[in-house]
Amino acid sequence: MELFALFGNPVSHSKSPLMHNLAFRALDYDACYVRYRLQNGSELKKKFFELGLKGINITVPHKEHAYEACEYLDPFAQKVGAVNTIVEKDGKLYGYNTDAPGFLKVIKEFQNVKSILFLGAGGTARSTSVILRDEGYEVTILNRSQARLESFEVTGFATANFDTFVPKQYDLVINMTSAGLEDDLLPAPIELLQSVIPQAKACIDVIYGKETAFLKLVKSYDIPTKDGSDMLLYQGIIAWEYFTDHKYSFDTIQPHMKRAFIL
Ligand code: NDP
């Protein structure tokens, strides 16, 4: 039996073990997926081999450590400097980023979208903004602090902080911050949000499993909303494809993993 795990801290809240195990069981793949609370990210590689794992997903705060641990990096993971999926082959660790292609699939389900406003400039914003731009979307990054915007500026993104932002029409407005995750905060001052939400075709929050203050505000304008569930599902399916060496198609895996969201 092959053993897979989620490495992160915390990991107790995660749906990933249920998602992956549902697909393993339904498709009769001899494997099991567990969660492992890793406190020290620099021990990632050591723990991987000690536990006899075949593959892992990596969540907050270890995606950069995961990047460092790999002998081989998929070109996109290399470009964005973040790995959330590792597979062992012949004693070597191969690293991938499935967050970004998963998120791209979410965005492609919206019609007639060109301009996108990201609220937030953290690690998730970094990988997803790059893949969206590579696909031809115009991405603007708005963040509370100036410090995190600098790496976006040097790579040519339009950026603003709360003081410098000049409102315009965006097709999608996306909360990429952790505001709302464990509190009821909005990701930006309400006046600023009121200047962009009413003109948007839809708004997305990457947080899943709750109605955030941001989504509540969007709904008050009757604008379509989406939470982070599909992003989580799609990154998981793409990771599962790597874990099982692409023996199953995305569409075959999807209905089984999706059951994790109704159980
Ligand atoms: P990071 O810690 O790297 O970045 C956090 C970002 O949130 C920063 O831009 C920070 O701004 C901003 N922020 C935090 N608190 C506030 C606040 N109160 N008001 C305004 N801005 C705030 O986080 P990640 O990029 O890793 O994750 C971001 C979100 O994405 C999280 O909620 C996470 O749960 C979610 N996520 C969802 C996934 C899914 O599958 N659905 C996958 C991955 C992530 P500043 O620079 O000013 O501190």
Side-chain angles (χ1 to χ4, degrees):
M1 178 189 271
E2 291 177 351
L3 187 60
F4 297 88
L6 174 68
F7 275 16
N9 188 15
V11 287
S12 56
H13 66 288
S14 175
K15 272 194 187 292
S16 289
L18 181 58
M19 285 163 49
H20 285 269
N21 286 324
L22 281 168
F24 285 138
R25 193 176 315 161
L27 294 167
D28 212 12
Y29 193 93
D30 192 17
C32 179
Y33 188 112
V34 297
R35 59 185 100 221
Y36 185 83
R37 184 165 160 258
L38 181 70
Q39 282 174 293
N40 183 353
S42 61
E43 292 187 349
L44 185 143
K45 193 170 188 171
K46 187 166 140 263
K47 291 288 173 202
F48 185 102
F49 286 108
E50 270 177 20
L51 295 167
L53 296 165
K54 178 67 187 164
I56 53 173
N57 288 127
I58 305 94
T59 187
V60 177
H62 300 315
K63 289 183 192 177
E64 281 83 11
H65 280 115
Y67 174 86
E68 304 290 335
C70 294
E71 275 94 15
Y72 168 83
L73 288 163
D74 153 86
F76 183 77
Q78 177 131 41
K79 187 168 167 183
V80 295
V83 162
N84 77 318
T85 300
I86 292 180
V87 182
E88 178 272 328
K89 288 177 207 162
D90 301 324
K92 300 224 173 340
L93 298 187
Y94 286 64
Y96 308 92
N97 184 302
T98 73
D99 284 330
F103 189 66
L104 176 63
K105 193 167 164 55
V106 170
I107 298 303
K108 282 193 164 170
E109 289 172 354
F110 289 91
Q111 305 297 310
N112 303 319
V113 165
K114 182 80 180 158
S115 58
I116 301 178
L117 179 65
F118 271 25
L119 310 168
T124 308
R126 182 178 320 283
S127 62
T128 53
S129 60
V130 169
I131 203 165
L132 291 181
R133 185 169 66 178
D134 287 352
E135 288 287 314
Y137 294 96
E138 289 163 11
V139 184
T140 299
I141 316 287
L142 172 62
N143 196 49
R144 177 179 62 179
S145 73
Q146 182 60 32
R148 287 204 215 227
L149 288 172
E150 265 139 40
S151 67
F152 288 87
E153 273 169 22
V154 295
T155 50
F157 282 96
T159 67
N161 61 42
F162 296 166
D163 295 327
T164 60
F165 182 66
V166 179
K168 68 177 206 72
Q169 193 271 331
Y170 295 96
D171 297 329
L172 291 181
V173 178
I174 304 177
N175 178 25
M176 282 267 166
T177 75
S178 39
L181 189 60
E182 284 171 332
D183 50 48
D184 266 332
L185 297 174
L186 287 167
I190 190 158
E191 304 75 29
L192 192 156
L193 296 172
Q194 286 166 334
S195 71
V196 288
I197 290 172
Q199 303 171 66
K201 292 178 179 159
C203 295
I204 301 172
D205 201 319
V206 295
I207 294 169
Y208 65 89
K210 68 180 281 197
E211 188 173 70
T212 59
F214 175 69
L215 287 188
K216 279 188 193 131
L217 179 65
V218 175
K219 282 183 181 168
S220 73
Y221 287 97
D222 243 357
I223 304 278
T225 60
K226 191 172 191 61
D227 78 353
S229 302
D230 281 352
M231 179 184 182
L232 180 74
L233 175 65
Y234 296 162
Q235 66 73 31
I237 296 171
I238 300 167
W240 206 89
E241 291 181 294
Y242 283 117
F243 290 160
T244 57
D245 207 14
H246 297 87
K247 290 189 183 76
Y248 305 84
S249 71
F250 189 99
D251 291 343
T252 304
I253 304 160
Q254 181 164 4
H256 306 301
M257 260 202 188
K258 203 172 179 172
R259 288 185 56 226
F261 294 86
I262 46 170
L263 288 176

